[in-house]
Amino acid sequence: MSTPTKLYEGKAKILYTTDDPGVLLTQFKDDATAFNAQKKGTIAGKGEINCTISQHLFQLLERQGIPTHFIDCPSASTMRVKAVKIIPLEVVVRNIAAGSLCQQTGLALGTVLNPPLVEFYYKNDALGDPLLTIDRLRMMALATPEQVEQLRSMALKINVLLTDFFQRCAITLVDFKLEFGMEGEQLLLADEISPDTCRLWDQADTDPDRRVMDKDRFRRDLGGVEQAYQHVLERVLAQITPV
Ligand code: UDP
């Protein structure tokens, strides 16, 4: 067996090659960044927690007909995934106004968005991941018009499935970010789905700070980051039906 080679190290994950060119190994790290890496830290246990939560959410989505890059988890913090060509877009779905949406539009935190909002951001750290218009997206040929429509409809279907799942965990899915890749002609959901990439509010608490169970605890120095991630994991595991 050849030694895995590091392909790429990102802010929260390291990607390695494997013996199979169609398979990559992702190592989830405890490192955390926010505000385009201007704020850095570590969240103890995050790698294992995010890998395990992502595993269960990918499996749940696969069972409901959403193709994902997930293969399996050789350890608690590593995931084998199908090698895909990542589309350089961050697809954000919002059910409730928070974060940059409030800052940029003046909408009050907590405003319910019905229908949910789907947004496309250009995945480019040097440019600070700017929000794109559909026309800019087309002009830059970041995705074909057909792919854009497919991304939108997959994102909305994923939103229905995840909202329903988190509801059963007594957690409100406020918003989340998805990334997709192409395996040949097939569009696959890639990256991760975790408290790093979702806003999750505890339904048992209405206090705007105490209810936060996601990376906003780190971004906003709310404390209790590790515990919040651990609680999300516990609730996800309690709801997962054995396959
Ligand atoms: N998000 C992410 N990675 C990014 C930007 C956003 O995972 O690079 C997630 C974020 O955690 C939230 C959603 O996408 O769940 C919407 O984020 P927003 O645009 O409000 O940006 P933020 O306020 O996090 O800067």
Side-chain angles (χ1 to χ4, degrees):
M1 204 166 106
S2 58
T3 329
T5 310
K6 195 192 274 191
L7 253 190
Y8 171 79
E9 178 154 6
K11 288 172 269 190
K13 296 187 288 297
I14 309 175
L15 208 55
Y16 295 94
T17 58
T18 69
D19 284 342
D20 182 342
V23 176
L24 299 175
L25 185 75
T26 308
Q27 165 93 53
F28 285 67
K29 303 194 289 184
D30 287 356
D31 296 347
T33 62
F35 312 118
N36 201 17
Q38 288 174 59
K39 181 181 171 108
K40 291 192 172 113
T42 56
I43 300 173
K46 177 171 86 78
E48 290 193 7
I49 292 173
N50 281 1
C51 183
T52 309
I53 293 173
S54 291
Q55 172 195 347
H56 290 297
L57 297 179
F58 281 142
Q59 287 177 322
L60 174 144
L61 293 172
E62 283 274 0
R63 287 200 295 273
Q64 302 292 328
I66 303 287
T68 79
H69 72 160
F70 174 79
I71 300 173
D72 57 16
C73 289
S75 77
S77 64
T78 58
M79 183 180 286
R80 292 193 322 133
V81 299
K82 293 176 188 163
V84 296
K85 190 170 182 302
I86 289 285
I87 298 174
L89 291 176
E90 298 194 339
V91 183
V92 168
V93 182
R94 300 179 187 272
N95 296 304
I96 293 177
S100 69
L101 181 67
C102 296
Q103 285 153 21
Q104 292 170 11
T105 64
L107 271 181
L109 174 72
T111 306
V112 174
L113 308 169
N114 193 9
L117 201 57
V118 181
E119 298 175 330
F120 297 91
Y121 292 81
Y122 184 23
K123 199 171 139 60
N124 183 317
D125 284 340
L127 297 177
D129 297 343
L131 175 64
L132 295 173
T133 63
I134 292 290
D135 284 354
R136 282 191 186 186
L137 213 154
R138 290 198 180 141
M139 180 268 293
M140 294 170 73
L142 293 171
T144 65
E146 295 74 32
Q147 274 177 329
V148 173
E149 275 325 298
Q150 214 186 340
L151 290 171
R152 180 193 298 282
S153 70
M154 272 174 83
L156 286 170
K157 184 170 175 196
I158 292 166
N159 184 42
V160 170
L161 297 168
L162 292 183
T163 297
D164 174 70
F165 176 75
F166 279 115
Q167 185 68 28
R168 284 187 270 130
C169 301
I171 291 173
T172 299
L173 179 60
V174 173
D175 60 28
F176 57 98
K177 183 264 301 180
L178 301 172
E179 293 183 30
F180 294 86
M182 298 300 293
E183 188 196 36
E185 290 300 299
Q186 206 194 8
L187 189 61
L188 299 183
L189 176 63
D191 195 48
E192 66 178 284
I193 310 174
S194 72
D196 270 9
T197 63
C198 302
R199 283 197 170 90
L200 303 167
W201 290 352
D202 186 354
Q203 293 178 353
D205 207 326
T206 51
D207 180 87
D209 289 346
R210 278 202 314 260
R211 69 186 171 188
V212 173
M213 303 181 84
D214 56 70
K215 203 163 96 174
D216 273 350
R217 298 209 76 82
F218 170 78
R219 292 188 188 101
R220 295 169 44 207
D221 293 319
L222 294 176
V225 190
E226 286 84 1
Q227 293 88 328
Y229 277 56
Q230 183 64 38
H231 287 148
V232 175
L233 174 66
E234 284 164 12
R235 292 203 204 173
V236 166
L237 291 179
Q239 283 310 314
I240 291 293
T241 36
V243 247

